């Protein structure tokens, strides 16, 4: 176990409603989420001295501080790589707390990602941007690989070819997520489960991905409050202790288009994160009672199960075939409904669900939870957490 392990804890979570048209500015969404998280933690804005978010977030730390009433900041940071940043924001917060740089740090993410900037759309501006990312995109965009679905479809097709996975195997992830979302009043797809037949009959987005293989585009905000494990003992909520927090970028890493790797059947960056998580925490896959696996696209959930050691290469389709990832299975995942069923808030709502599982307050509570794995965006440099009771 390393120096960071178990020195910090998540003590508050807050969220706005999830919708397709929030009717509010992104700054207001961020302020609402941070205020709700502080209330949940039993803390005041004056207790906060650190903020961390995504480089993609439009709300500066100083603007959020002003809006919430946080008087001053000792620490602020931002993480690149879209959804890959989710758990890394908490890692940054935990490092700041563990080293004494700050006492209470709030990680936040807020956007109008459905009613304003839609991440699922083709972005011609990116391919022409005078940046390294623009140069990288200029190789793939002219071939039609300009949306996340198209980019993931390339890897998914190769995975199917090598390991014999089918579209129905991917669909079982969507069915499980939507089953969990159907009983979550906060989920956009509350009361709307799907069948495998529904999945197979949904329209193609980018073969082999159906519509129901793809996450939502959502409006909303999430905030996570982190403080020391010692201080957490005196706060009202049961703390979710951060047993491990890790980030990783694999060899020959691109942003969603790492097509020059030899295998093209896995997510090496997630394997790197997993190795760190198990080493830091002293735990392993068999110690996890539940997991929140970043599910922007269903094929990458199967690959994560393999990278993280829950099963061997090419074996994820068999691992999930008997309902293992549903409530009552040996590894229930995305018990809030995931980004496919609850909302797509760049994975931050998944961290909140991990906290609820530790607290015992999830709408799909798993029995006797002691440890929860949470992962961030895949196909990009990524991050992960192990939370423990």
């Amino acid at each position: 176990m390393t120096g960071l392990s178990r020195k910090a804890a998540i003590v508050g979570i807050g969220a706005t409603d999830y919708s397709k048209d929030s009717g509010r500015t992104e700054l207001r969404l961020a302020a609402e989420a941070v205020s709700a998280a502080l209330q949940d933690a039993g803390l005041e804005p004056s207790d906060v001295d650190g903020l961390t978010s995504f480089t993609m977030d439009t709300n500066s730390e100083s603007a959020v501080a002003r809006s919430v009433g946080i008087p001053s900041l000792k620490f602020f940071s931002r993480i690149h790589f879209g959804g890959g940043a989710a758990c890394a924001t908490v890692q940054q917060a935990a490092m700041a707390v563990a080293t004494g740089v700050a006492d209470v740090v709030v990680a936040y993410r807020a956007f109008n990602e459905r009613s304003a900037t839609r991440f699922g759309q083709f972005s011609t501006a990116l391919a022409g941007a005078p940046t390294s990312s623009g140069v990288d995109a200029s190789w793939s965009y002219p071939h039609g690989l300009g949306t996340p679905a198209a980019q993931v479809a390339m890897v998914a097709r190769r995975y199917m070819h090598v390991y014999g996975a089918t579209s129905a195997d991917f669909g079982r992830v969507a069915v499980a997520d939507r089953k969990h979302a159907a009983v979550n009043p906060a989920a956009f797809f509350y009361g709307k489960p799907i069948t495998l037949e529904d999945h197979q009959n949904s329209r193609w987005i980018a073969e082999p991905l159906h519509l129901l293989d793809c996450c939502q585009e959502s409006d909303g905000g999430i905030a996570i409050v982190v403080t020391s494990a010692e201080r957490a003992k005196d706060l009202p909520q049961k703390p979710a202790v951060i047993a491990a927090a890790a980030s990783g970028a694999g060899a020959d890493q691109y942003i969603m288009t790492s097509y020059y790797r030899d295998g093209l059947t896995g997510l090496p960056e997630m394997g790197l994160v997993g190795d760190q998580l198990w080493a830091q925490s002293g735990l392993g896959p068999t110690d996890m009672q539940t997991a929140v696996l970043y599910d922007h696209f269903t094929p990458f959930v199967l690959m994560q199960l393999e990278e993280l050691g829950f099963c061997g290469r090419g074996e994820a389709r068999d691992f999930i075939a008997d309902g293992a990832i549903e409530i009552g299975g040996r590894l229930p995942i995305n018990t809030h409904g995931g980004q496919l069923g609850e909302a797509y808030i760049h994975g931050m709502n998944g961290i909140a669900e991990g906290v609820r599982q530790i607290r015992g307050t999830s709408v799909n509570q798993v029995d006797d939870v002691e440890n929860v794995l949470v992962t961030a965006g895949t196909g990009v440099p990524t991050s992960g957490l192990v939370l423990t009771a």
Side-chain angles (χ1 to χ4, degrees), residues 79-88 91 246-250 253 267-274 276 294 304 374-384:
I79 308 294
H80 294 297
F81 308 121
C87 296
Q91 181 190 34
S247 300
Q253 181 81 62
L267 302 164
E269 56 279 356
M270 187 57 74
L272 176 61
V273 166
Q276 294 176 79
Y294 198 94
Q304 286 182 78
V374 184
T375 64
T378 45
V380 297
T382 190
S383 54

Side-chain angles (χ1 to χ4, degrees), residues 65-384:
R66 291 195 310 270
S67 299
V68 174
I70 297 168
S72 58
L73 294 173
K74 297 178 183 176
F75 172 77
F76 37 87
S77 72
R78 296 219 166 194
I79 308 294
H80 294 297
F81 308 121
C87 296
T89 64
V90 175
Q91 181 190 34
Q92 289 277 303
M95 289 192 294
V97 167
T99 56
V101 170
D103 296 318
V104 176
V105 181
V106 182
Y108 65 89
R109 180 74 172 108
F111 52 33
N112 286 319
E113 194 254 338
R114 177 58 177 82
S115 63
T117 303
R118 299 183 62 179
F119 294 171
Q121 298 288 311
F122 202 102
S123 174
T124 54
L126 176 59
T131 64
S132 61
S133 295
V135 172
D136 292 343
S138 70
W139 288 96
S140 56
Y141 271 50
H143 300 286
L145 298 174
T147 68
Q151 292 160 346
V152 172
M154 289 280 285
V155 183
R157 181 63 79 188
R158 177 65 180 168
Y159 181 84
M160 295 168 79
H161 173 75
V162 173
Y163 294 129
T166 67
S167 172
D169 294 324
F170 301 154
R172 290 184 178 90
V173 174
V175 170
D177 277 10
R178 289 289 293 272
K179 180 178 181 179
H180 299 158
V183 295
N184 176 7
F188 187 80
F189 285 119
Y190 175 55
K192 297 179 180 179
I194 61 170
T195 65
L196 190 56
E197 183 179 13
D198 292 331
H199 171 272
Q200 292 290 279
N201 289 335
S202 64
R203 63 185 174 89
W204 294 114
I205 298 299
E207 293 189 46
L209 301 183
H210 288 275
L211 174 67
L212 295 179
D213 287 308
C214 307
C215 71
Q216 306 176 69
E217 293 173 306
S218 307
D219 289 8
I222 296 282
I224 311 288
V225 182
V226 177
T227 192
S228 69
E230 189 63 30
R231 184 172 184 176
K233 297 175 183 177
D234 298 325
L235 296 175
Q237 299 288 0
K238 179 180 180 179
V241 177
I242 301 168
S247 300
D252 215 3
Q253 181 81 62
Y254 286 74
I255 311 301
M256 299 299 290
T257 56
S258 299
Y259 299 144
Y260 309 103
R261 293 167 169 168
D262 290 340
L264 204 63
T265 54
L267 302 164
E269 56 279 356
M270 187 57 74
L272 176 61
V273 166
D275 290 346
Q276 294 176 79
L277 293 177
W278 307 140
Q280 282 184 37
S281 65
L283 302 169
T286 58
D287 297 307
M288 301 298 113
Q289 288 76 48
T290 182
V292 181
L293 302 183
Y294 198 94
D295 58 334
H296 54 345
F297 298 99
T298 57
F300 279 1
V301 173
L302 272 65
M303 295 180 201
Q304 286 182 78
L305 290 167
E306 296 168 9
E307 292 287 357
L308 294 163
F310 289 99
C311 56
R313 299 286 180 181
E315 296 177 0
R317 63 185 181 125
D318 299 319
F319 181 88
I320 70 170
D322 61 354
I325 58 174
E326 297 183 9
I327 291 295
R330 61 185 175 277
L331 184 71
I333 70 168
N334 302 342
T335 48
H336 58 318
Q339 297 174 113
L340 290 163
E342 186 185 58
Y344 176 77
I345 313 294
H346 252 160
M348 295 291 277
N349 49 322
I351 301 173
E353 177 64 8
V355 173
R356 287 190 289 266
Q357 284 289 346
I358 293 294
R359 291 180 178 180
T361 60
S362 171
V363 294
N364 288 299
Q365 184 61 42
V366 176
D367 294 336
D368 303 318
V369 171
E370 295 181 358
N371 307 302
V372 179
L373 170 69
V374 184
T375 64
T378 45
V380 297
T382 190
S383 54

